[in-house]
Amino acid sequence: MKNKWLFYALLLIVTYNCNSSKTKKLTIGLAMDTYTEERWKKDGQFFEERAAQLGATVIRQVCNGNEQLQNEQVENLITQGVDVLVIVPHNSKTAAKAVNSAKEAGIKVIAYDRMIKDCDLDLYVSFDNEQVGVLQAQTLVGLAPKGNYMLVEGSATDENAFLYNKGHMQILKPLIDSGHITIVMEQYCKDWLPIEAYKQTQNALTKNNNNIAAILVANDGLAGGCIQALTEQQLAGKIPVSGQDAELAAVQRVIDGVQSMTVYKPIKQLAYAGAEAAIALAENKPTAATTRTINNGKKEVSALLLAPVAVDKNNVKQTVIADGYIKATELKMQ
Ligand code: BGC
């Protein structure tokens, strides 16, 4: 009789342990660079929302633009025993060290939005960044088919900045070759700082006696800096300026006619795809179909690239508002 109870008790313990290990919550380490640009908080929130829906926990870290701190944060996430890592690198090169540590610990890694170079990445989820640059340049060339162009590019530590530039040059090259367009200034802005863009615009205006046909700008934050310099010369709205991210202030500037366009990237889609892929990788299941592979210097990395959308005065309602990214009530329509 006693033995029988002992047997049932043991059975109960064994069953409980088996089940609890099966239902153990997955933990995703999410290492972010910054919250400076409006989008990044949305990335984090949507990512956590989707992970929670799928029963996973997220430990989120942000390094505020400090690449060394970011690597330390990743080491810490590895020590905490996360099941998978998702990294938005501050520096697309130095973050490889963090990826190497994760891989040594048997943890899979996704590069989110920005590529991580020269390492054994498992997946890259982002937008078609070269296409972002193409959309920006196409709009400006349509508005200013000839003259002096300024190129205000992103941070040189961010691989995306080079992809945007590649897209810009794809459109500009034939016009430069034919002599229609001259690039009078091309500069990368440290840490994507708007103040850098402001100073560069001031310099270029002075050097060229305000004779600038268009300013090709990589994102909305930088566009804000450029437009401030233009405003000081009463040139805002007279010189086409591009942007990216569909930030609230930028969409308002587009409506007001001082910024020609922005690029809307559906962040919810990206964050959801990132969370879903992280969980699939942690469970050794196949991820959603990737669109292509991209060489990161070490290997052909499977890449899931979503499509960016050009936004100008005419399609604000059909794009960012229709998608719920910005509420109509947040904007002053003209
Ligand atoms: C992102 C942009 C963002 C920029 C600055 C880029 O890597 O793709 O959306 O504006 O970083 O944070």
Side-chain angles (χ1 to χ4, degrees):
M1 189 63 181
K2 208 175 166 191
N3 276 349
K4 192 175 152 199
W5 287 118
L6 198 66
F7 172 77
Y8 282 128
L10 278 173
L11 193 69
L12 208 71
I13 291 168
V14 169
T15 318
Y16 173 77
N17 279 340
C18 285
N19 283 342
S20 68
S21 68
K22 254 190 222 154
T23 56
K24 182 187 159 278
K25 261 195 159 185
L26 276 181
T27 306
I28 307 170
L30 175 61
M32 299 195 66
D33 170 25
T34 176
Y35 294 141
T36 304
E37 289 80 17
E38 213 168 79
R39 63 161 288 187
W40 296 116
K41 276 213 170 126
K42 298 191 189 192
D43 285 275
Q45 282 159 4
F46 284 132
F47 189 98
E48 283 176 3
E49 180 178 285
R50 186 64 183 139
Q53 284 167 5
L54 298 172
T57 309
V58 178
I59 307 179
R60 202 204 302 185
Q61 302 280 325
V62 62
C63 72
N64 297 317
N66 180 337
E67 63 203 44
Q68 204 184 327
L69 176 63
Q70 182 164 56
N71 282 356
E72 285 165 20
Q73 287 176 335
V74 172
E75 294 292 347
N76 192 266
L77 289 167
I78 296 170
T79 315
Q80 287 188 57
V82 295
D83 297 292
V84 58
L85 270 161
V86 178
I87 304 177
V88 184
H90 170 70
N91 183 318
S92 295
K93 290 191 180 125
T94 59
K97 193 167 170 239
V99 178
N100 293 341
S101 301
K103 297 313 293 266
E104 274 164 29
I107 299 170
K108 291 186 179 153
V109 186
I110 298 178
Y112 182 98
D113 195 81
R114 301 172 178 165
M115 180 57 102
I116 306 175
K117 309 279 283 181
D118 302 315
C119 59
D120 180 21
L121 265 186
D122 294 284
L123 186 69
Y124 171 53
V125 294
S126 187
F127 293 91
D128 183 339
N129 293 303
E130 211 173 310
Q131 180 63 11
V132 170
V134 166
L135 295 176
Q136 293 169 329
Q138 272 172 343
T139 308
L140 292 209
V141 163
L143 295 166
K146 50 185 184 189
N148 291 340
Y149 264 64
M150 271 179 72
L151 263 62
V152 180
E153 302 290 1
S155 167
T157 57
D158 178 348
E159 179 65 8
N160 282 349
F162 300 106
L163 297 173
Y164 304 142
N165 180 257
K166 215 170 156 193
H168 296 157
M169 293 317 289
Q170 197 180 308
I171 301 300
L172 294 185
K173 179 93 188 0
L175 295 158
I176 294 169
D177 291 347
S178 65
H180 288 88
I181 284 176
T182 309
I183 296 183
V184 292
M185 196 218 72
E186 178 177 2
Q187 256 171 52
Y188 285 79
C189 296
K190 188 182 176 297
D191 290 341
W192 291 94
L193 288 172
I195 183 77
E196 297 267 317
Y198 169 74
K199 285 191 212 150
Q200 285 174 27
T201 309
Q202 269 191 333
N203 285 343
L205 288 172
T206 311
K207 278 195 190 135
N208 296 280
N209 285 322
N210 286 359
N211 179 17
I212 300 288
I215 315 183
L216 201 33
V217 190
N219 81 348
D220 288 341
L222 299 177
C226 296
I227 291 167
Q228 194 185 328
L230 290 179
T231 306
E232 287 169 9
Q233 297 295 315
Q234 281 85 46
L235 288 172
K238 295 190 179 130
I239 299 177
V241 174
S242 63
Q244 165 186 198
D245 285 340
E247 290 193 353
L248 180 59
V251 174
Q252 187 63 59
R253 290 195 296 260
V254 169
I255 292 169
D256 296 344
V258 290
Q259 183 172 325
S260 315
M261 63 93 70
T262 182
V263 176
Y264 170 52
K265 301 190 296 189
I267 299 301
K268 185 173 176 181
Q269 270 182 40
L270 181 71
Y272 271 42
E276 285 160 16
I279 292 168
L281 282 183
E283 290 176 337
N284 286 317
K285 288 184 186 151
T287 54
T290 46
T291 41
R292 54 194 265 200
T293 63
I294 296 181
N295 196 302
N296 76 340
K298 173 152 182 145
K299 68 186 269 199
E300 286 293 325
V301 183
S302 296
L304 184 68
L305 301 186
L306 306 177
V309 181
V311 177
D312 63 18
K313 246 187 177 154
N314 304 315
N315 68 350
V316 169
K317 278 193 190 138
Q318 297 90 314
T319 53
V320 282
I321 294 179
D323 230 17
Y325 194 72
I326 288 179
K327 289 193 199 81
T329 49
E330 293 176 287
L331 295 164
K332 281 193 215 92
M333 295 293 181
Q334 300 234 317

